[in-house]
């Protein structure tokens, strides 16, 4: 397997550090708009970097992406960029005849008149619209294969296969007790992506009703997270699992709730009120004349790079899937989860916990595809794959998962 990794930010760099320890691939080309960043990711691997090289690449240019796939003889494109670049990379992989893996999905657009009641364009719609072409080409597009979405979806499939006969609700619940020394406000993941998922109308799925939306930060609940994290208030946000799980699994209700905290929600509300969450450019006067800039890009530029926060972070992050239903005629409720301690990930990999936890899952998925344990053609989510090989491999990687009976 020869891999083109597009994106050498926090998650992309963590991918290289995890993949360098595994023998399943022949070569990985690390591509980024900033060649210095790509080069640094490879250089940091030291002796383990002999199967890697670095190139400059503009992810918004499908022709350039196709040329990189051809020039480096890559048969898989792994997308580690933000969701704006999903479609050009997805389309370039299909045009070249490569398999494709990403950790998010194509962007949504709210309903034009009823944004908090009805779905407009849903996450992933643009990709699933092309599923027949991928199937006809005999190529696999594995979408949403990070931690959330990704591992959370694998947990949902495992629960459906082995733990339940009937499922009332599948609810993804994400929480942490991470703190960042020296900053009043410092998100541990891409603020661009965080704004997108938290300020868009959250999507909920119900059997008989299908997908519908609610207001941002709706249905608050306190969820008790394991391994010392404790109770965290979680609210509805838009997330890919709600759009993926019902395509393959039967459940009466599917939700995603994120532990944000009052301060974080307050900052996001303020950004929205000021229009600083917008992605369309505005004209700004400067000493060199007018410049067209995206307000959201300005916000991202003013905040610290999450990849560089690891040394200042303390605490743990938890991603997991709560499932309620019945087994053998008896009520059952479980939480399947994965916890990463920031000190552990920094000590072992030099990557902060949130980006490391995201990065390990696409690497494991690629290894399963390379081995033939995962496969298929078309546009598929993690739910379409057998869960046991993935969960066993995650443990082999030194990142075991847990289960708690509720």
């Amino acid at each position: 397997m020869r891999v083109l990794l597009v994106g050498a930010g926090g998650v992309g760099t963590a991918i290289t550090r995890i993949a360098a320890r595994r023998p399943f691939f022949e070569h990985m080309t690390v591509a980024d708009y900033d060649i210095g960043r790509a080069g640094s990711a490879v250089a940091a691997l030291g002796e383990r970097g002999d199967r890697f090289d670095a190139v400059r690449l503009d992810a918004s240019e499908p022709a350039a992406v196709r040329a990189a796939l051809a020039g480096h003889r890559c048969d898989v494109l792994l997308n580690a960029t933000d969701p704006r670049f999903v479609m050009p990379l997805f389309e370039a992989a299909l045009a070249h005849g490569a398999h494709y893996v990403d950790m998010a999905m194509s962007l949504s657009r709210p309903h034009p008149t009823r944004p908090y009641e009805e779905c407009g364009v849903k996450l992933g719609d643009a990709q699933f619209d092309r599923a027949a072409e991928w199937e006809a080409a005999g190529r696999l597009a594995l979408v949403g294969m990070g931690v959330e979405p990704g591992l959370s979806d694998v947990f949902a499939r495992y629960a459906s296969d082995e733990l339940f006969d009937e499922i009332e609700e599948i609810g993804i619940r994400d929480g942490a007790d991470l703190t960042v020394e020296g900053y009043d406000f410092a998100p541990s993941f891409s603020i661009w992506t965080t704004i997108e998922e938290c300020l868009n109308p959250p999507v909920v799925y119900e059997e008989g009703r299908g997908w519908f939306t609610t207001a941002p930060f709706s249905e608050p609940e306190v969820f008790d997270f394991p391994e010392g994290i404790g109770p965290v208030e979680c609210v509805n946000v838009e997330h890919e699992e709600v759009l993926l799980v019902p395509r393959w699994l039967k459940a009466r209700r599917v939700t995603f709730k994120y532990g944000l905290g009052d301060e974080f929600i307050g900052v996001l509300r303020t950004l929205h009120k000021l229009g600083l969450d917008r992605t369309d450019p505005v004209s700004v006067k400067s000493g060199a004349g007018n410049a067209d800039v995206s307000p959201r890009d300005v916000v991202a530029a003013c905040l610290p790079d999450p990849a560089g926060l690891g040394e200042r972070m303390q605490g743990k992050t938890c991603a997991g899937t709560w499932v309620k239903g019945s087994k053998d005629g008896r009520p059952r409720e479980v939480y399947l989860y994965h916890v990463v301690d920031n000190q552990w990930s920094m000590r072992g990999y030099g990557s902060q916990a949130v980006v490391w936890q995201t990065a390990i899952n696409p690497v494991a998925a690629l290894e399963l595809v390379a081995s033939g344990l995962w496969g298929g053609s078309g546009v598929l989510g993690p739910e379409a794959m057998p869960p046991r090989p993935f969960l066993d491999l995650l443990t082999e990687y030194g990142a075991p998962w847990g289960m708690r009976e509720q």
Side-chain angles (χ1 to χ4, degrees):
M1 175 180 283
R2 296 181 66 89
V3 181
L4 176 65
L5 169 63
V6 184
V11 173
T13 296
I15 284 171
T16 65
R17 294 172 182 178
I18 296 165
R21 305 184 186 196
R22 306 298 297 183
F24 69 89
F25 66 97
E26 177 186 345
H27 190 83
M28 183 175 289
T29 295
V30 182
D32 197 278
Y33 189 80
D34 181 346
I35 182 59
R37 192 160 66 167
S40 295
V42 172
L45 300 175
E47 294 181 356
R48 287 185 167 139
D50 60 332
R51 292 178 294 156
F52 295 77
D53 68 341
V55 300
R56 184 188 183 279
L57 181 64
D58 186 342
S60 68
E61 296 289 343
V65 178
R66 294 198 303 271
L69 285 164
H72 295 272
R73 298 181 291 113
C74 296
D75 45 10
V76 178
L77 190 158
L78 174 53
N79 176 3
T81 61
D82 74 54
R84 287 175 291 182
F85 301 105
V86 162
M87 287 311 294
L89 293 173
F90 175 84
E91 291 170 349
L94 177 60
H96 177 71
H99 300 300
Y100 171 85
V101 178
D102 65 25
M103 288 164 273
M105 294 198 296
S106 58
L107 291 170
S108 63
R109 289 198 304 275
H111 191 280
T113 59
R114 291 169 54 84
Y116 302 133
E117 294 86 17
E118 298 181 30
C119 295
V121 176
K122 301 187 299 300
L123 290 168
D125 276 357
Q127 290 174 288
F128 283 109
D129 285 346
R130 307 287 297 277
E133 295 172 65
W134 281 85
E135 192 166 356
R139 292 294 179 266
L140 170 64
L142 180 58
V143 299
M145 193 59 248
V147 60
E148 291 174 341
L151 176 57
S152 52
D153 303 76
V154 174
F155 283 150
R157 173 65 187 270
Y158 173 71
S160 179
D161 283 0
E162 301 193 25
L163 303 180
F164 290 86
D165 297 324
E166 293 186 354
I167 294 177
E168 180 179 331
E169 182 168 351
I170 295 174
I172 316 307
R173 299 293 185 265
D174 179 301
D177 62 1
L178 293 167
T179 59
V180 182
E181 180 186 356
Y183 289 98
D184 292 330
F185 183 75
S188 58
F189 201 70
S190 162
I191 189 62
W192 201 101
T193 303
T194 301
I195 289 173
E196 182 73 18
E197 63 191 25
C198 291
L199 292 180
N200 277 350
V203 180
V204 175
Y205 173 85
E206 290 183 358
E207 189 177 55
R209 183 177 179 182
W211 289 292
F212 62 94
T213 57
T214 70
F217 316 121
S218 58
E219 298 182 0
E221 68 174 56
V222 175
F223 192 86
D224 187 19
F225 288 92
E227 298 194 20
I229 295 174
V232 179
E233 184 176 76
C234 299
V235 294
N236 281 328
V237 301
E238 181 189 51
H239 230 256
E240 290 86 352
E241 292 94 329
V242 180
L243 287 311
L244 284 169
V245 168
R247 294 178 185 269
W248 283 277
L249 306 179
K250 185 174 177 57
R252 296 189 186 97
R253 181 175 166 89
V254 182
T255 57
F256 180 99
K257 293 188 180 183
Y258 196 7
L260 293 171
D262 289 341
E263 181 186 22
F264 205 126
I265 290 174
V267 170
L268 293 174
R269 289 189 190 279
T270 300
L271 291 175
H272 181 61
K273 286 180 181 179
L274 296 175
L276 294 174
D277 59 328
R278 292 167 51 190
T279 58
D280 49 310
V282 297
S283 182
V284 177
K285 292 182 179 180
S286 72
N290 285 357
D292 291 333
V293 297
S294 157
R296 194 183 300 185
D297 287 341
V298 173
V299 172
C302 290
L303 290 171
D305 181 356
L309 294 176
E311 296 291 349
R312 294 174 174 265
M313 285 174 60
Q314 296 285 334
K316 299 175 181 177
T317 184
C318 179
T321 303
W322 164 74
V323 187
K324 180 180 180 181
S326 63
K327 178 70 172 176
D328 299 326
R330 296 180 178 179
R332 191 177 195 187
E333 195 173 337
V334 304
Y335 183 57
L336 301 153
Y337 63 89
H338 186 252
V339 172
V340 178
D341 184 288
N342 187 72
Q343 287 182 300
W344 177 87
S345 64
M346 286 298 297
R347 185 170 60 250
Y349 290 85
S351 296
Q352 56 104 318
V354 177
V355 299
W356 187 90
Q357 188 182 46
T358 303
I360 190 172
N361 297 285
V363 178
L366 285 178
E367 182 160 347
L368 292 175
V369 171
S371 71
L373 291 172
W374 276 17
S377 61
V379 179
L380 302 178
E383 298 87 349
M385 303 296 175
R388 264 294 177 187
F390 188 93
L391 296 175
D392 290 345
L393 188 58
L394 200 63
T395 300
E396 183 183 319
Y397 273 44
W401 55 282
M403 185 178 84
R404 181 181 68 191
E405 296 278 353
Q406 297 286 90

